[in-house]
Amino acid sequence: MITRYSYSPMIETGAVVREITVSAGAPEPFTLTEDGGFLLRMDEKCRVYGLGEAIRGINKRGWVYTSWCSDDPFHTEDKRSLYGAHNFLIFDGEVRFGAFFDLPGKITFDLGYTDSDTAVIKPESLHLDLYIITGDTLKAIVSEFRSLIGKSYIPPAWAFGYGQSRWGYVTEKDIRDCADRYRDAGIPLSMLYLDIDYMDSFKDFTVHPERFPDLKAFAQEMKARGIRLIPIIDAAVKREAGYSVYDEGHEKGYFCKDADGEDYVVGVWPGMSVLPDFLNPEASKWFGQQYKALTDLGIEGFWNDMNEPALFYSERGLNDAFKEIKDLEEAPLDALNFFGVRDTLVRLQNSEDDYKRFWHDTPQGKFSHYDVHNLYGYHMTKSAYEALCDLLGEPPLLFSRASYIGAHRYGGIWTGDNSSWWGHILQSLQQMAGLNMCGFLFSGSDIGGFGGDCTRDLLIRWMSFALFTPLMRNHAAFGTRSQEAFAFGDTEVFRHIIELRYRLIPYLHSAFEKAAKEDGMYFRPLAFDYEDDEIAATVEDQLMVGDSLMIAPIYVQNAVARHVYLPEPMTQIRMHEGEISTEELKEGWHYIPVPLGDVVYFTTSPIPLAEPVVNTAESDGNN
Ligand code: MIG
């Protein structure tokens, strides 16, 4: 059951697709605090699930989170915000219910951080719709919530293949070499991602004329080898007279404006740029049509980046900063002045002052960006999805960095700039649980880690987990050590793991479709399947995948075994050097050896494995 309480919402966010009548009275079981917060006393056993992409445990109790879409490349445990704003959570205590706080602005979830027995959820200002969702089971609460927010995006079947990406591939040759090395190693590969360097001067919907002299022919050549090219599109548009996307958008008034009605100018990769007003339906539609420049070249998938929106600086902020620094230059230099100089520039990045200084022109009125910040990436995804379905005649592969609940109907998300750290394997597993509750089924993390240098053992362990994530993409930052499956000498070990992914696709794909069509979860914490099992409820490093599979990856450096909890008797499946063996195990705790390169998972009923696919240049394009 869903009960809705309404507190003069500012704008309809579009997250909800079902009409629910507003209830009067108190938002039970919360009590409303004087300063507009929602308070709940949590009993000792109460666990808290949800919050989508948010980091830390599957049980979110004990920390504080702020929904504020943020470009932050350091996902350390002390962070409160990442790229997504996913305001749905479930309290699982003596009282059990779900709650969705539907508002476009900032909101903080103090889940037993200030006082371990109290949750306080505090929107910056009390303009929101609150949905309280009840159900007999945790799964029922999730599916009830999902019926409220609409069906999850389903990508094309080929998107379940393995993809390689790297910020640092610059030319057609870099991409072809990568494809060749995968082929030479006999490792299947379905997608190669193009990062910002394929563009001409970082201009969206352009292709660098020397680096990719004939992208259409190249895309065709790759597709004939079973590999799709997936280019990146950034949110901001370079301000450059003569660049048609800028000229047209400017002329039609489709970019976000300052209080005086001038385009608000921000600095991102292309230098001085402007921001498409995705909250204006006409502007959004227009931006979507620009993808045609690339679909005309045979492109069928995209990833959308920098759409928090991430800002390095703004023209206005930069001018002010230079003035401040000039003033400090005259003052006697001491440590404080020095830090003042340094911080003046650092503060420009993703500055809330900027977010307050530009405006959206929506059918529901004009809003300062700050007030609707969390909707920007969502609307960019919607813009791309709707246009691409039209242009391609079928859904594209599409995923985004920033998101709000509702965006799950139009694309997937990846978890952004993680690092080549062991802890980020576990972090990614835990994020998948929260994301699935919020409808973001097509997700994954940069395999091997984005920032920092990856090692062979880290990549092996990471892939052994990520072969179960719907989006399986190896991606790394510019300047980091190469971390492709061929980068560490011996390629056999990676071939076996990636082949296993392809062998599991029939199962994984149908589990995914079932979750999407039935408002279910592809990844579930054990607590969701074994509600009466007190041990299952505490397991933070295993997940159920589909109806009959459970994973328990290794995420500790040098570990060659781990404890695994079986809530019921299961079959252990072990892949060792490409060979599969099985063993029946009793319920309870097991200490399972998992030497580097073995993949071990568990099933409750037999699941089919496809024949191995091998990468050959003559592939029929279906792998
Ligand atoms: O400011 O396009 O998260 O995946 O490689 C960095 C370059 C911009 C951030 C994305 C990352 C991508 C990178 N981008």
Side-chain angles (χ1 to χ4, degrees), residues 503-539:
R503 299 195 68 187
L504 278 163
I505 284 179
Y507 174 78
L508 301 178
H509 188 225
S510 76
F512 181 93
E513 288 214 320
K514 184 165 181 240
K517 289 184 176 147
E518 296 175 6
D519 293 330
M521 292 164 66
Y522 168 94
F523 280 127
R524 295 177 308 284
L526 272 49
F528 282 55
D529 284 28
Y530 304 92
E531 291 219 346
D532 300 326
D533 184 330
E534 269 304 308
I535 298 175
T538 63
V539 173

Side-chain angles (χ1 to χ4, degrees), residues 167 195-196 232 269 303 305-306 312 401 414 416-417 446 450 473 475:
W167 179 17
D195 208 323
I196 45 176
I232 195 170
W269 289 106
W303 49 311
D305 190 19
M306 307 295 276
F312 298 161
R401 197 171 68 176
W414 93 101
D417 300 346
D446 291 350
F450 176 75
R473 181 179 76 142
H475 181 51

Side-chain angles (χ1 to χ4, degrees), residues 443-465:
S443 307
S445 306
D446 291 350
I447 297 171
F450 176 75
D453 290 328
C454 187
T455 56
R456 175 176 179 271
D457 54 348
L458 179 64
L459 188 64
I460 292 172
R461 292 306 195 188
W462 204 313
M463 262 192 198
S464 306
F465 155 64

